Amino acid sequence: MGFVIERVEWELGSQTFLWIFCSCLASIFLLPYFSKKAGLSFSSNGKGPHSSLVEFGSSAFFSFQRSFLFVYILASVIGGLQTVFGEDEYQLFGFSRKQMVLCLCAGVSATVFFGSFLGVLSDMVGPKNTCMIYCVLHLFVGAMRSTSERPSVWISSLSLSLASFIFQFSFETWMTSEHEKQGHRREFLLDTFWLMVFFESASLIGGQGLANLLVTDIERGLFFPSAPAALLSVICALYIRKNWHAHKLFSLREYRYSFSTTILKDKRIWLLGCAQGCLHFAVSVFWMLWAPTVVADGRDVNLSLIYPCFLGSRMLGSTAFPWVSGPGSFIPLEDYLSLSFVAAGLSLTMAAYDYQEIGVLVALFCGFHACCGLILPSLARLRTALVPNELRAGMISFSLAPANASILFILIQGGYHRNLSNAAILAMAAFGLFTAAGCVHVLKRWKRRTPGNWHEL
């Protein structure tokens, strides 16, 4: 007698997305109520102790903030449209698993050997020009994919890797420099930091939805979303060129002297850079391994519904930033940042060393992204306190260089040679997050010793 075993595809319930959506709204719109209840008053001229999303600040600041976020959202959607398909792009051209890994290695190698100097280039020629380069790279890839029947996957991988690396520092650097140049209060930066994380995540979700609407047959229309991405790149570049201002340029000699005396000789910035690099490594490892971990043992899962759940969790984590960073916060910046790193590390540790049901794994990964949503604006706040704006891009790019080298090592040893298991790689990412927590804790101790050397926000 034969048996038929039915395989049921696991899916997230619709109530999960509803809960994340309602939680984000509640976190945003209840903040002013509880702030007032706690006795925190905000002046109408924007000179209170801390800004909030609903504070009545100057019209010039809100105009500047809306203009920047418009471009930042456009740039996020462009990146999402170009990378939403992932491995499907390689499979369409018949790439084997090893060829896929080699293509990824080529992209990461570009960020290791060239990306480290892109931050220096951004500081020297101005972040506005580097943001233009980001748009040009996406325009090139979008045009190539839209017009060629057999576009070069290798060139696309190299270009998109460099563009993704530029995105991590160029827009933030321009925003902080222009914010200071226009004379806005430094406290107002806090809102912009968490709104950047919030809208970037929302834009990636929107990019996935737009790509799914544009592609009905993957074998015929895989690269059709690249045409809208190229169009948006043109719009973004034209807007930047017309409305954004260029900043002071440095000579190589001036920049080298400033960087060596301000960045390389400050141990606090080394610790901050280590924390940034560890987070970048952990997030990159997660995006490489989350799908294989969830579908382990041949489990059927609708991955396209889990992806926006992660990004929604990051949005929710970012909305917690104004709650814990305000003047009435009961926990210092370094304390909640260390706890966030530890919580994120524990989430990856449990996923690495203990077999979990799919629901438990998804919950752990959502918790990891919620922690990342809180960590990202907090690190931006620390960068503003420690790093001069004119050296910000170079500092970020150099801090990410060791992380990118580690990612390249993981791809070669774990992806190509299979010498490292997925569990071991996740454990390495978790260890990096614990290391970042230790770096932030040491920063707190040094802050107590030299309080006058910090630019408080």
Side-chain angles (χ1 to χ4, degrees), residues 120-391:
V120 175
L121 179 66
S122 177
D123 288 333
M124 293 183 61
V125 304
K128 174 184 175 180
N129 295 324
T130 316
C131 293
M132 293 286 290
I133 294 175
Y134 172 86
C135 297
V136 170
L137 287 172
H138 276 291
L139 175 60
F140 169 72
V141 174
M144 181 181 64
R145 286 177 166 181
S146 302
T147 58
S148 175
E149 294 182 359
R150 300 285 296 183
S152 174
V153 179
W154 294 90
I155 295 178
S156 297
S157 179
L158 290 171
S159 300
L160 293 178
S161 295
L162 290 176
S164 177
F165 189 77
I166 290 173
F167 181 81
Q168 297 183 63
F169 59 80
S170 58
F171 290 88
E172 177 188 317
T173 302
W174 182 89
M175 184 273 296
T176 54
S177 299
E178 187 66 16
H179 184 101
E180 181 180 15
K181 183 179 179 181
Q182 293 187 12
H184 302 303
R185 291 181 58 84
R186 292 171 63 92
E187 292 83 358
F188 290 175
L189 279 171
L190 300 185
D191 281 336
T192 308
F193 287 149
W194 76 264
L195 286 173
M196 287 171 63
V197 179
F198 184 89
F199 284 118
E200 179 193 356
S201 304
S203 300
L204 292 175
I205 297 174
Q208 181 196 36
L210 179 59
N212 290 335
L213 290 176
L214 294 173
V215 176
T216 55
D217 186 348
I218 193 171
E219 295 188 359
R220 293 183 179 180
L222 176 61
F223 299 112
F224 185 67
S226 295
L231 177 60
L232 291 176
S233 299
V234 173
I235 296 174
C236 188
L238 292 176
Y239 188 92
I240 290 174
R241 182 178 181 182
K242 181 180 179 180
N243 296 283
W244 283 19
H245 301 96
H247 297 136
K248 179 183 177 181
L249 303 182
F250 284 90
S251 67
L252 179 59
R253 182 177 181 180
E254 291 175 337
Y255 185 83
R256 183 172 57 186
Y257 175 78
S258 298
F259 195 87
S260 61
T261 57
T262 306
I263 303 298
L264 298 182
K265 293 185 179 180
D266 194 334
K267 295 180 180 179
R268 300 169 304 171
I269 296 180
W270 280 84
L271 289 174
L272 176 59
C274 179
Q276 292 178 174
C278 289
L279 177 66
H280 176 71
F281 175 74
V283 171
S284 300
V285 165
F286 171 84
W287 286 120
M288 288 189 292
L289 296 182
W290 78 270
T293 303
V294 171
V295 300
D297 301 328
R299 297 177 288 195
D300 291 333
V301 184
N302 191 337
L303 298 178
S304 62
L305 293 180
I306 300 178
Y307 173 79
C309 190
F310 295 154
L311 295 176
S313 299
R314 191 167 73 163
M315 293 169 63
L316 181 59
S318 68
T319 64
F321 178 74
W323 287 83
V324 297
S325 63
S329 174
F330 61 91
I331 181 171
L333 165 65
E334 293 80 8
D335 287 343
Y336 76 73
L337 187 53
S338 297
L339 291 175
S340 299
F341 273 120
V342 170
L346 289 175
S347 298
L348 294 187
T349 301
M350 294 177 65
Y353 285 106
D354 187 18
Y355 176 84
Q356 304 288 346
E357 295 295 331
I358 298 178
V360 177
L361 280 174
V362 172
L364 289 173
F365 291 155
C366 286
F368 168 77
H369 276 279
C371 293
C372 291
L374 179 57
I375 291 171
L376 288 171
S378 302
L379 289 178
R381 181 181 180 182
L382 277 177
R383 284 193 293 271
T384 304
L386 291 173
V387 183
N389 289 329
E390 60 270 16
L391 304 175

Side-chain angles (χ1 to χ4, degrees), residues 21-49:
F21 178 77
C22 294
S23 298
C24 289
L25 288 181
S27 179
I28 293 173
F29 290 108
L30 291 179
L31 174 62
Y33 171 77
F34 283 98
S35 297
K36 293 178 181 179
K37 190 175 181 180
L40 300 176
S41 60
F42 301 96
S43 61
S44 60
N45 61 1
K47 295 183 179 179

